[in-house]
Amino acid sequence: MPKLSEVLDGSATALITIAPRLPTHASINEVVNQLSPAIARGYFTPEEDELIREKFSNYLTVRAALHSVLVDMKPIIFNQVKPNEAEYAKVFLIAFCTAAMLRRSGRHLVVNFRSNKMIWRKLNEAEPRYGIPRKQFTAVYRSLTSLRNVITFRQGVNYFEENRSSILALEADPKLLPIVELLKSELPYIESNLDDDLKKRLQFRLHSAKRRSRGVVQKTSFNAFKISGRLLSEIRNQWKRKRVTPIVQRKIQHLLKPGDVIITRHDDAATNLFLPGFWPHASLYIGSLEERAELDPENRHPQLQRAQDPKCVLEARKDGVLFRELNDTLNVDACTIIRPNLSKDQIRDGIARGISHEGKEYDFEFDFTRADKLVCTEVVYRAFDGIGNLNFKLANRSGRLCLSAEDLLDSAVDDRHFTVIAVYGFKGNRFFEKDAALKKLIESYRKNRN
């Protein structure tokens, strides 16, 4: 067991190191301002999603580090270890300052975001890329309003007021001077009274009750979508030979380059009845291991090496967002290949960003405002939106903001942000490239539009 002096030195050093990384009211306001377009729009773009995830992940990391300081102090504060009076004053200084910083930063976060359902919901999403479990914003709110935590902190405030002079006099110790300065900067925030804390607790409990009732409905709804989605995806004539034959697959493989988007169709899929247009499905060609290495010779994006040959496609289906073999993706009746008009470096960055979502569940609710579950077109959306001149506009369909496969094709036909490379399988088993492919693509899905 380490000596008390070692615990004190280590905790003091950790606290001084961590303090500058805590979010302030000003830094949170800056994030709110950066997200104001998203709030006005009603959803986060992938770039905005990355911003809020990164900021929240950093906060959770700092918060965990501060909690570890309190864990080290806990046996001494609660008399499991018996220090003398001078040692206890040092322990209390570190522990009380740490608790005050935790409460102040948590309060800033909750006060700024609790009234915004959109941000609250986003911060409660799980995000394995950043190591964020579900409901972390709720966990921060719950901790801040916990009756036990409120009372314990209030007892600390009382002890500090009774011993203020002796505690602040610890600034005479050079090792503790920075801690005393930190505590002095926290004192204005500590003055919030118990009644205010209890009021926030009541607000949280009321909100929590509403969330639980909505959560049951949402979970039931998602499970219903999941079950029906799986059933529909499996209703297909398993004995019908696909029109994209192995010969056609090899021809397509020779045309493909990393970053290409593959739009496909099964003639007999029951989901065609519910998904808009002739072209319902999309996937992202990430290339072979060798092609990805050529894109990133300096290994700036190690995640590009995660997919191993022969898996060269990132695709979201009922079993999740997974790396797949090309012949599996092209086991269809019709396909279109479009290529983003981006530089090699931009293609690399987009593929790396797309790969970061590998392993997530499929979103049977088709809700693009959340990023913990993805649909097929969302893989492309979260890979390339905001890179170069690519900015996709989500459309409201059946009450949900989403991007269809044919919206992606519009980016090739109208905006010219993609180039049409090839089309196969529309009105017979014919293969078209370049200008002929563009003409055939327009014919395939534009003729029946209102």
Side-chain angles (χ1 to χ4, degrees):
M1 184 175 180
K3 296 178 181 179
L4 180 56
S5 59
E6 294 174 350
V7 173
L8 286 170
D9 288 347
S11 297
T13 300
L15 187 55
I16 294 166
T17 304
I18 295 166
R21 297 173 56 195
L22 270 177
T24 62
H25 191 62
S27 66
I28 291 176
N29 277 340
E30 183 181 350
V31 174
V32 171
N33 290 334
Q34 289 176 293
L35 296 177
S36 57
I39 295 169
R41 188 190 312 117
Y43 65 90
F44 296 100
T45 65
E47 188 174 9
E48 292 162 341
D49 191 275
E50 296 288 336
L51 169 67
I52 194 169
R53 297 290 196 178
E54 183 179 352
K55 298 292 186 182
F56 192 47
S57 175
N58 289 340
Y59 165 71
L60 292 176
T61 300
V62 173
R63 182 172 181 265
L66 287 175
H67 271 290
S68 70
V69 172
L70 285 181
V71 169
D72 289 339
M73 298 291 100
K74 187 176 179 180
I76 308 167
I77 290 290
F78 292 98
N79 297 319
Q80 295 170 359
V81 175
K82 300 291 184 181
N84 58 44
E85 187 174 341
E87 290 173 330
Y88 186 84
K90 296 177 182 179
V91 170
F92 178 84
L93 170 66
I94 295 172
F96 185 58
C97 184
T98 301
M101 291 169 66
L102 276 168
R103 292 190 66 76
R104 186 257 303 165
S105 59
R107 186 182 295 271
H108 285 334
L109 194 75
V110 167
V111 166
N112 278 278
F113 295 148
R114 71 181 174 193
S115 60
N116 190 302
K117 295 179 181 179
M118 182 176 153
I119 295 180
W120 186 319
R121 181 183 177 188
K122 177 59 62 178
L123 295 181
N124 263 342
E125 286 180 17
E127 182 46 270
R129 295 178 302 155
Y130 290 94
I132 303 176
R134 290 178 66 246
K135 295 188 177 297
Q136 287 305 288
F137 182 80
T138 297
V140 173
Y141 200 166
R142 182 184 294 113
S143 176
L144 188 68
T145 58
S146 160
L147 185 59
R148 180 179 179 180
N149 289 347
V150 169
I151 292 174
T152 300
F153 187 71
R154 178 54 51 185
Q155 290 171 340
V157 171
N158 292 339
Y159 182 89
F160 172 75
E161 292 299 339
E162 293 170 3
N163 299 275
R164 175 187 285 258
S165 297
S166 60
I167 293 170
L168 296 182
L170 292 172
E171 64 185 355
D173 184 336
K175 291 183 179 179
L176 296 178
L177 174 59
I179 309 294
V180 174
E181 293 299 324
L182 284 173
L183 180 57
K184 287 179 179 179
S185 68
E186 296 293 333
L187 290 180
Y189 302 101
I190 293 174
E191 293 172 358
S192 60
N193 57 41
L194 182 60
D195 291 340
D196 186 49
D197 289 331
L198 292 176
K199 180 181 177 182
K200 286 183 173 60
R201 172 175 169 77
L202 178 60
Q203 291 172 339
F204 173 77
R205 289 180 69 85
L206 289 173
H207 174 82
S208 183
K210 292 178 182 178
R211 293 280 297 180
R212 280 197 296 271
S213 62
R214 287 199 299 267
V216 170
V217 173
Q218 290 171 349
K219 187 174 182 180
T220 302
S221 173
F222 176 75
N223 286 337
F225 276 112
K226 188 174 182 178
I227 292 169
S228 60
R230 286 185 184 277
L231 289 174
L232 286 170
S233 66
E234 292 168 0
I235 298 175
R236 187 182 300 157
N237 185 347
Q238 303 295 330
W239 291 274
K240 178 181 176 297
R241 186 176 179 227
K242 293 300 175 185
R243 293 190 289 118
V244 178
T245 64
I247 293 175
V248 176
Q249 289 179 8
R250 287 193 291 272
K251 189 171 184 177
I252 292 171
Q253 185 173 16
H254 289 309
L255 292 173
L256 285 169
K257 292 184 179 180
D260 286 357
V261 177
I262 305 173
I263 311 291
T264 57
R265 172 185 173 85
H266 289 280
D267 289 341
D268 54 348
T271 48
N272 289 345
L273 297 173
F274 304 95
L275 297 175
F278 181 83
W279 302 100
H281 187 75
S283 56
L284 177 64
Y285 181 72
I286 61 173
S288 66
L289 196 59
E290 182 180 357
E291 286 175 318
R292 279 174 271 130
E294 290 176 1
L295 280 177
D296 189 29
E298 297 178 359
N299 197 29
R300 294 170 56 186
H301 297 286
Q303 67 266 40
L304 289 174
Q305 307 304 310
R306 279 170 53 184
Q308 299 296 310
D309 294 339
K311 295 183 178 180
C312 57
V313 179
L314 183 65
E315 184 178 4
R317 296 187 203 162
K318 63 182 180 180
D319 54 348
V321 184
L322 300 174
F323 298 126
R324 307 181 193 275
E325 296 182 26
L326 183 61
N327 59 3
D328 183 18
T329 296
L330 290 179
N331 186 31
V332 293
D333 294 297
C335 66
T336 292
I337 310 300
I338 58 175
R339 180 168 298 153
N341 295 326
L342 298 172
S343 69
K344 179 179 176 180
D345 288 346
Q346 290 169 332
I347 292 287
R348 175 201 63 209
D349 294 345
I351 293 175
R353 201 164 79 175
I355 285 175
S356 70
H357 294 281
E358 186 267 335
K360 292 185 176 180
E361 293 184 39
Y362 187 82
D363 185 5
F364 289 93
E365 293 184 273
F366 290 78
D367 186 355
F368 274 59
T369 64
R370 61 188 299 172
D372 54 338
K373 299 179 176 69
L374 272 63
V375 298
C376 63
T377 51
E378 197 171 358
V379 171
V380 179
Y381 171 66
R382 295 201 176 276
F384 288 124
D385 187 74
I387 292 182
N389 61 355
L390 277 180
N391 290 283
F392 301 108
K393 185 177 180 180
L394 301 184
N396 194 318
R397 293 186 173 90
S398 302
R400 287 178 173 80
L401 291 168
C402 59
L403 183 78
S404 72
E406 293 189 354
D407 290 335
L408 290 173
L409 295 179
D410 284 341
S411 292
V413 173
D414 294 333
D415 303 327
R416 304 293 178 175
H417 292 155
F418 288 82
T419 297
V420 180
I421 302 301
V423 173
Y424 177 86
F426 175 68
K427 286 188 175 181
N429 300 332
R430 296 188 61 189
F431 197 92
F432 300 90
E433 296 183 55
K434 300 180 179 178
D435 292 342
L438 175 60
K439 182 178 179 180
K440 188 58 64 174
L441 175 62
I442 293 172
E443 182 186 350
S444 73
Y445 80 103
R446 287 289 181 91
K447 61 178 181 177
N448 293 323
R449 284 191 173 179
N450 295 329

